[in-house]
Amino acid sequence: MCKAVVVGSLNLDTSITLERMPQPGETIAAQGISLNPGGKGANQAFALGRLGCPVAMVGAVGQDAAGDTLLESLQAAGVDCSCVARREVPTGQAFITVDSAGENAIIILAGANSTVSPADVEKLRPQHPIIDLILEYRQLTKLNSTYVEGLAKVIAPDGRIHTSFQNTVTATGRLSSTEPNLQNIPVRTPIGRELRKFFAGSGGNLLVDADYSQIELRVLAHVADDAAMKEDFLEGRDIHTATAARVFQMPVDMVTKDMRSKAKAVNFGIVYGIGAFSLSKDIGVTRKEADDYIKEYLRNYAGVDAYMKRVVEEAKEKGYVETLFGRRRYLPELKSGNFNLRAFGERVARNMPIQGAAADIIKIAMIRVSSRLAREGLQGKLILQVHDELIVECPPEEREQVERILQEEMEGAVRLSVPMVAEAGSGRTWFEAKE
């Protein structure tokens, strides 16, 4: 039996009307309904029969008039609703969520003024190849609207995009880029990284980019005084491979790419106070496996385990945590009667001294880089900070000197018990500088 898949958001301002059942491979519009991946009410109709018919609906509908209208309209159009359950939802909304795919079509409709989350769509990948296309469409439309069209609207008369940095917005002390936010240019996907080609030096200038290597893990190794982690950094080992070797108890040269990837998730997850449930979703393993990874990690990195416990207890006593440089964050959540709030406070207590110290260090580095550029009489100017990354625009003849300055001043911003490492590159565009 053929499956049809519809993913999108539902608008019940008008009645839903399907003129007829679609033929296999045919696309027909549905009046009064918006079916757009990630839609937020976009006026686009998605295919109800694009992959063939019959069409069936699997999920749940609200126990209200809106839900009644939805079911009546779909049933009148010949859609099989025998597997649909009814649920309590806010008045005026009709939700359909997938419970099981069965052998029929999957139709996911989110309620008025809401959308289907990427995570919900992601779960449907095994059901049909169209899910990959839907996710790709969603990604491309977001990149286009947010970055291609969005950034084009904020180009200043001088041909540049000028962001504003807020120094007192984030609780950890990180700088926050606004109007527009240039700190969230995508880097995780190849097509997202392509957007960095938009950004180029003016008048033949180059962009020199330098970023810290695993700054938060290096800070963690220092503040936790963990012997194993410090040894890995002092010996210049790849920290994620070294972690995988310890956690999976095997020689470094036998660590696979998948093992390293899981170890990397554990490394950064530990910094952010991740639990077994969240880790299991991140790396695609069972909750028990994720719990075993975390326990084995903390057994191997006993200093980190002791630090995580110690910093929470100290925060409960003092009412705050602080970074190596004295930046404080007060945590009234630790005294809350609400379990979830207390758990949040404990996660923040473990994370803030690490992330906050990294934020302090990059600010110190910014001052050092800017001062040295001026002191050495260079034309190069610091033009952007993206968390652990600094970008300088300079003439081609200053390239090597600026790369050296960035590396030296960033690595010398603070002296820890493990080395700070900064890696620099340059190019005509931001993309080239990062490659």
Side-chain angles (χ1 to χ4, degrees):
M1 183 173 289
C2 204
K3 295 181 181 178
V5 184
V6 179
V7 179
S9 58
L10 175 65
N11 185 334
L12 286 174
D13 292 337
T14 58
S15 62
I16 300 170
T17 304
L18 304 180
E19 296 179 355
R20 57 181 171 78
M21 287 297 293
Q23 296 300 312
E26 180 186 9
T27 297
I28 65 171
Q31 297 178 7
I33 191 168
S34 168
L35 292 169
N36 171 34
K40 296 186 179 179
N43 295 319
Q44 298 172 336
F46 219 78
L48 272 183
R50 184 174 180 181
L51 301 177
C53 55
V55 180
M57 186 167 68
V58 181
V61 176
Q63 293 177 317
D64 59 5
D68 293 339
T69 301
L70 174 63
L71 279 181
E72 291 170 3
S73 299
L74 291 173
Q75 288 171 336
V79 176
D80 179 5
C81 298
S82 59
C83 293
V84 174
R86 303 300 297 271
R87 288 185 187 159
E88 290 288 346
V89 298
T91 302
Q93 297 187 20
F95 285 94
I96 303 174
T97 56
V98 172
D99 293 325
S100 62
E103 289 298 318
N104 295 312
I106 307 165
I107 301 181
I108 313 168
L109 306 177
N113 299 319
S114 68
T115 59
V116 179
S117 73
D120 288 334
V121 182
E122 189 76 35
K123 295 174 185 175
L124 296 174
R125 274 190 187 274
Q127 301 300 333
H128 202 284
I130 197 175
I131 299 300
D132 287 328
L133 297 176
I134 290 171
L135 290 170
E136 181 184 12
Y137 172 82
R138 190 174 207 154
Q139 178 192 36
L140 293 175
T141 53
K142 178 174 176 58
L143 290 175
N144 181 62
S145 61
T146 304
Y147 302 107
V148 180
E149 296 176 356
L151 291 177
K153 295 176 182 177
V154 293
I155 298 175
D158 62 0
R160 294 177 178 268
I161 294 174
H162 298 271
T163 187
S164 297
F165 285 101
Q166 312 300 321
N167 199 26
T168 56
V169 172
T170 67
T172 59
R174 283 185 179 272
L175 288 178
S176 173
S177 169
T178 60
E179 299 180 345
N181 183 357
L182 294 182
Q183 293 180 328
N184 70 345
I185 304 299
V187 296
R188 296 184 183 276
T189 62
I191 193 166
R193 289 192 290 273
E194 289 283 314
L195 297 178
R196 294 191 171 201
K197 293 179 179 178
F198 292 172
F199 303 91
S202 65
N205 284 343
L206 301 178
L207 297 182
V208 181
D209 179 290
D211 62 355
Y212 280 114
S213 171
Q214 291 134 4
I215 184 173
E216 291 180 351
L217 291 176
R218 293 173 189 272
V219 170
L220 175 61
H222 175 81
V223 299
D225 195 26
D226 187 281
M229 189 174 285
K230 286 167 64 174
E231 177 187 318
D232 290 338
F233 280 124
L234 289 168
E235 294 295 325
R237 298 168 187 156
D238 178 275
I239 188 65
H240 304 310
T241 301
T243 298
R246 295 179 189 277
V247 171
F248 294 106
Q249 302 177 41
M250 60 177 51
V252 170
D253 57 4
M254 292 183 66
V255 171
T256 65
K257 185 177 181 181
D258 179 63
M259 290 176 181
R260 183 185 183 278
S261 177
K262 288 176 179 176
K264 182 177 181 179
V266 177
N267 264 328
F268 288 116
I270 290 293
V271 172
Y272 287 89
I274 199 169
F277 177 72
S278 296
L279 179 62
S280 68
K281 292 198 298 181
D282 288 348
I283 62 178
V285 299
T286 66
R287 187 169 182 173
K288 182 182 183 307
E289 286 177 303
D291 186 56
D292 289 342
Y293 291 160
I294 293 174
K295 287 178 179 176
E296 189 63 23
Y297 179 98
L298 294 175
R299 187 184 71 79
N300 279 278
Y301 295 108
V304 173
D305 188 26
Y307 162 76
M308 294 295 181
K309 295 172 181 175
R310 182 176 70 251
V311 74
V312 171
E313 291 307 311
E314 290 177 355
K316 289 178 179 178
E317 293 175 9
K318 299 178 181 178
Y320 64 85
V321 288
E322 60 184 353
T323 71
L324 290 168
F325 304 91
R327 181 189 300 278
R328 291 184 181 181
R329 177 169 179 175
Y330 288 86
L331 294 170
E333 295 90 348
L334 293 174
K335 295 182 179 179
S336 172
N338 182 296
F339 172 81
N340 290 332
L341 274 179
R342 286 200 311 277
F344 168 76
E346 290 179 5
R347 289 196 300 273
V348 172
R350 290 189 287 266
N351 167 252
M352 188 274 172
I354 309 301
Q355 195 179 83
D360 293 337
I361 291 169
I362 193 70
K363 288 180 179 179
I364 293 169
M366 291 174 68
I367 295 170
R368 290 170 62 102
V369 168
S370 182
S371 298
R372 186 166 167 190
L373 289 171
R375 190 166 64 249
E376 297 192 11
L378 299 178
Q379 297 179 52
K381 295 288 187 295
L382 182 61
I383 61 172
L384 186 63
Q385 184 254 48
V386 182
H387 303 314
D388 306 327
E389 179 181 350
L390 297 181
I391 300 174
V392 171
E393 182 181 9
C394 70
E397 60 271 20
E398 294 181 358
R399 178 208 302 252
E400 292 185 5
Q401 191 173 356
V402 169
E403 285 185 3
R404 186 174 64 254
I405 288 173
L406 276 168
Q407 190 169 4
E408 291 176 356
E409 297 305 326
M410 290 175 72
E411 292 181 350
V414 63
R415 298 298 177 189
L416 303 180
S417 56
V418 296
M420 298 295 291
V421 175
E423 300 167 343
S426 58
R428 180 74 181 85
T429 67
W430 191 4
F431 179 87
E432 293 175 6
K434 289 296 292 182
E435 294 299 305

